Amino acid sequence: MCVPRALQKRDWLFDNAKGALIFFVVAVHASLIWPCTYKPLQAAVSILITVVMPGFCFVSGHLSSVHLTRTRVIRLFQSLVVLLLWQSLFIAVKIASSREVEHLAATRNLTARWAELPPKLAGQIEAEAATPWIPFAIVSANNPTWFLLCLIVWRSLLPAMAMLRRPLLLTVALALAVPFTDVADAGQLGTVFGYFPFFMAGGCIPRPL
């Protein structure tokens, strides 16, 4: 059977690993939304939380290219546009819901609706009403697109990092140093540098010709 040249260059091991990790990422998020009391399953989820995201960053690094061609620059720009559009939608929803959240928090002692809410949800509503927000806070800690932001930064830095003699050691040093700086409190920037060594480790593995 004749296989297209583009498919011959694919690394099927890492392609399949990425698909499996995507499934596990979704499973972990589902377990956080609908927690289970079954002890073995809780232990499995704890292990997945520790392993999945570093593994996903590693595979993403391996499947990324160190050559910043015109096509890849366009893809990075498209990813940035998607990030900004999603953040705009996120802000629009937050504006639309902020008045109702503030009303519920302000009348929590005067309405039966508040008493009917689960304690965890009531606490989240109060925290949401008390937390200020900044429009287009791309590096916000509550941003659901944090991994897309990480990919944009990592893939932009990968060509320059690949020119260094010990890029992996440098990213490890940055990850260890970030918790002792103000960057750790700057939204997702701490996460960007914290997971960068796993991405860089994957990028250091030669891809098949």
Side-chain angles (χ1 to χ4, degrees):
M1 184 176 63
C2 181
V3 180
R5 183 179 299 272
L7 294 181
Q8 291 177 0
K9 297 181 180 180
R10 302 295 302 186
D11 192 331
W12 299 108
L13 174 62
F14 280 87
D15 282 343
N16 292 328
K18 185 176 182 179
L21 287 169
I22 290 174
F23 171 80
F24 286 127
V25 168
V26 175
V28 166
H29 282 80
S31 69
L32 296 177
I33 298 174
W34 298 288
C36 178
T37 58
Y38 186 53
K39 295 294 184 181
L41 186 57
Q42 288 180 344
V45 170
S46 300
I47 296 174
L48 286 176
I49 291 175
T50 306
V51 174
V52 165
M53 286 315 303
F56 198 72
C57 296
F58 178 86
V59 173
S60 298
H62 178 71
L63 297 179
S64 299
S65 175
V66 298
H67 304 292
L68 199 60
T69 62
R70 181 176 180 274
T71 301
R72 293 189 175 95
V73 170
I74 293 175
R75 290 178 179 174
L76 283 174
F77 179 76
Q78 291 173 340
S79 299
L80 181 60
V81 171
V82 171
L83 178 64
L84 293 175
L85 288 176
W86 178 268
Q87 185 64 9
S88 300
L89 178 61
F90 183 76
I91 291 173
V93 172
K94 191 172 181 67
I95 292 175
S97 61
S98 60
R99 291 185 178 179
E100 179 65 18
V101 169
E102 292 174 358
H103 175 73
L104 281 174
T107 59
R108 59 184 179 275
N109 295 324
L110 303 176
T111 176
R113 293 178 62 191
W114 186 267
E116 296 173 357
L117 293 176
K120 184 177 181 180
L121 178 58
Q124 290 177 343
I125 291 176
E126 285 188 319
E128 183 74 13
T131 302
W133 58 277
I134 303 174
F136 292 95
I138 297 177
V139 295
S140 169
N142 296 322
N143 197 315
T145 55
W146 69 270
F147 190 73
L148 179 57
L149 171 65
C150 289
L151 280 180
I152 294 173
V153 175
W154 295 338
R155 288 175 174 171
S156 300
L157 294 176
L158 185 59
M161 296 294 293
M163 298 174 64
L164 302 177
R165 188 172 182 179
R166 297 288 187 270
L168 182 57
L169 292 179
L170 177 59
T171 57
V172 171
L174 287 174
L176 294 175
V178 161
F180 301 99
T181 65
D182 295 335
V183 176
D185 299 325
Q188 290 298 341
L189 289 180
T191 305
V192 170
F193 290 103
Y195 281 116
F196 197 14
F198 300 102
F199 181 88
M200 194 70 237
C204 290
I205 297 179
R207 299 182 64 180
L209 299 177

